[in-house]
Amino acid sequence: MAAMTTVPSYTASIWVRMCHALPRLDFGMQMRDNLFVPDSWEYQQTLLVLSSLSAIALVISLLVVLSFLIHYCCCHRGDRSEGSEEEEDEDGSTGHGYSGKKGKGICCVTWVAVAAVTLCCVAIGIGFYGNSEANDGMYQLTSSLLTANYTLASIDLLISDTISGLQLSVSGPLASMEELFSGSKPFLVSTRNCRRLSENVISLLSSISLARPSVDAGLLGNDSGVSGASITPLTPVPPSVAPTVVPTSNLLPNPFSPGWAANTLMVNEDYRWLSYVLLLLLDLIVCLFILLGLAKQARWLLILMTVLAWLFLFLSWGSLGLETATVVALSDFCSDPNSFVLNSTQFNMGTSSDVLDYYLTCSRRMNSPFQQLLTQSQRALSNIHSHLSSLDRNALPQFPKAEKSLREVQQILNSTEGNFHQLVALLNCRGLNKDYIDSLKGLCYDGMEGLLYLSLYSFLSALAFTAILCALPGAWRSFPSESEEYDDSDSESEDPFTSHQDSKRFLQWQPWL
């Protein structure tokens, strides 16, 4: 039983604290605080400065690749004649030109390219894991938001059903009972007390609203406007099978409502996950074709892969900048999420910050802001029940025609009490606070970890493509030219023992044959 009353807690992870502690500089190189204020231009400047670090790294990568290109194109131009003379000497002794310095160069370039491609494959594996973790975190976030949205919709629906039932009882059977009891003052006073108490409960429940002014009762399949007997207690169902409550046409969706946020996040997450999967698959294909081009010594394939490697180099550093800004902003939010939610979330009907703080913290020392309203409503319903029991015992023997109206009022009261007990349970902070904590854990634990792994993937991928672009010119230079390939094919096709010229010379030196 103690575990049932334990309120779940949230603490920032070590990754959140480390990223949140990073220094922040604006465009003027002045230190700024790390409070999460996404609408502030000063805060946006700090994120742009952090993202610009990847642009600086991109410039360094371009300079490194350019230096290697200058080294291979300019500094080794004079070595071709020396290399060709050495190859001729080696051909006379070994029969091929891939030994000595050239063979060592081919081996070095091959190992550098293989190491770079291996690093790229490791980065791709890290990227797939990070993408999966980020997707799991976003799924937990959207699932918790949908659950909270269904809870809020259920609260509004219970209030709407209860108010509709009490209004129906006031205008229908209670009005009939007042006409029947017009000749008996004690019974008439009891009936009017029931009507007054019902109107008091209607007024109290109308002041309770968390997300929307009202929700049509027919949205969840419970139509309370048919008759008083049609009011049945609402039984909440799991959010996986519960329909998403959509506001009616005359109500604009709240941009801070959990349902609107969950639907938006689901759409954006689908595009984000698919984009990363395609990027990772293309990255893997490029790495494999680079290995194939080195193995087959296919110049045209290496030309195509070099172009794609340049493209992925820019994409890797660009994605790293975007992920860095996202990780830092997320760490600022996750370090103190309650403050941002309290300052930015706007509820309809003038909901005070005390109500929001009650559901965000759910402290045992805090009383429910609806406790007084619920207590007064419960007392009013109990008094109505007492008056109806008294009328049932005393009035029905004298006024048998009032039995039908009295039974209708009792049935409406029983349904209203059932809805009221469910409303009290849903207004307790534990349910909504658990959804809030689960959404924070999904975003700040799995989502943060996934973004960090994706950042590591982008960094390793950028390093790998930088190394590949540095090694490909050497691989290109080590490939045999078309004339060398033609000479090699001719030398392999000719047989020195069956050659016509060798046979003729042999006959000239053997005249006796």
Side-chain angles (χ1 to χ4, degrees), residues 427-448:
L427 287 176
N428 189 276
C429 65
R430 286 177 294 179
L432 288 175
N433 182 260
K434 182 181 182 301
D435 297 333
Y436 174 66
I437 296 300
D438 290 341
S439 63
L440 287 181
K441 289 181 178 179
L443 180 64
C444 300
Y445 289 172
D446 293 339
M448 186 72 177

Side-chain angles (χ1 to χ4, degrees), residues 233 385 409-419:
H385 189 75
V409 175
Q410 289 177 344
Q411 187 176 2
I412 293 174
L413 181 63
N414 292 333
S415 300
T416 300
E417 288 180 343
N419 287 344

Side-chain angles (χ1 to χ4, degrees), residues 447-499:
M448 186 72 177
E449 183 180 355
L451 285 176
L452 289 174
Y453 277 112
L454 288 176
S455 301
L456 180 61
Y457 149 73
S458 299
F459 178 72
L460 295 179
S461 177
L463 293 182
F465 280 112
T466 302
I468 288 173
L469 290 174
C470 292
L472 285 181
W476 182 278
R477 183 174 174 273
S478 64
F479 288 172
S481 61
E482 296 180 358
S483 59
E484 292 177 351
E485 294 177 356
Y486 181 75
D487 294 339
D488 292 341
S489 62
D490 290 343
S491 62
E492 291 176 358
S493 61
E494 292 179 355
D495 189 355
F497 297 100
T498 60
S499 176

Side-chain angles (χ1 to χ4, degrees), residues 227-388:
S227 63
S230 64
I231 302 175
T232 57
L234 176 66
T235 302
V237 296
S240 58
V241 297
T244 303
V245 177
V246 182
T248 54
S249 58
N250 58 343
L251 295 176
L252 295 178
N254 188 1
F256 294 98
S257 65
W260 182 90
N263 293 329
T264 305
L265 288 174
M266 282 191 294
V267 174
N268 294 334
E269 175 59 19
D270 290 340
Y271 285 111
R272 187 208 63 82
W273 180 84
L274 183 59
S275 299
Y276 267 102
V277 168
L278 293 178
L279 178 63
L280 292 167
L281 291 179
L282 291 176
D283 203 345
L284 180 61
I285 291 173
V286 170
C287 293
L288 295 179
F289 273 98
I290 288 175
L291 288 180
L292 181 62
L294 292 174
K296 297 293 184 179
Q297 296 185 355
R299 293 176 179 270
W300 65 270
L301 186 58
L302 281 187
I303 292 175
L304 178 60
M305 293 302 106
T306 301
V307 174
L308 293 178
W310 280 106
L311 176 62
F312 277 96
L313 178 65
F314 282 91
L315 287 177
S316 298
W317 287 120
S319 63
L320 179 61
L322 181 62
E323 290 156 0
T324 301
T326 305
V327 165
V328 173
L330 184 60
S331 66
D332 295 339
F333 168 77
C334 294
S335 61
D336 189 13
N338 288 359
S339 299
F340 174 75
V341 175
L342 285 172
N343 294 330
S344 62
T345 304
Q346 300 293 331
F347 279 177
N348 293 335
M349 300 299 291
T351 303
S352 63
S353 59
D354 295 337
V355 176
L356 192 58
D357 185 58
Y358 168 72
Y359 286 103
L360 294 182
T361 57
C362 197
S363 175
R364 295 180 179 179
R365 294 172 295 181
M366 295 181 61
N367 295 324
S368 174
F370 306 112
Q371 185 65 41
Q372 185 177 2
L373 297 176
L374 295 177
T375 301
Q376 293 177 1
S377 300
Q378 180 65 43
R379 290 175 180 174
L381 292 176
S382 299
N383 291 332
I384 294 174
H385 189 75
S386 300
H387 286 295
L388 293 179

Side-chain angles (χ1 to χ4, degrees), residues 24 35-38 40-47 328-329 332:
R24 312 300 170 82
L35 296 178
F36 184 67
V37 188
S40 174
W41 171 237
E42 288 77 10
Y43 182 77
Q44 295 174 5
Q45 289 182 13
T46 61
L47 298 181
V328 173
D332 295 339

Side-chain angles (χ1 to χ4, degrees), residues 41-61:
W41 171 237
E42 288 77 10
Y43 182 77
Q44 295 174 5
Q45 289 182 13
T46 61
L47 298 181
L48 291 176
V49 170
L50 291 174
S51 299
S52 63
L53 296 178
S54 63
I56 297 174
L58 174 60
V59 173
I60 295 175
S61 297

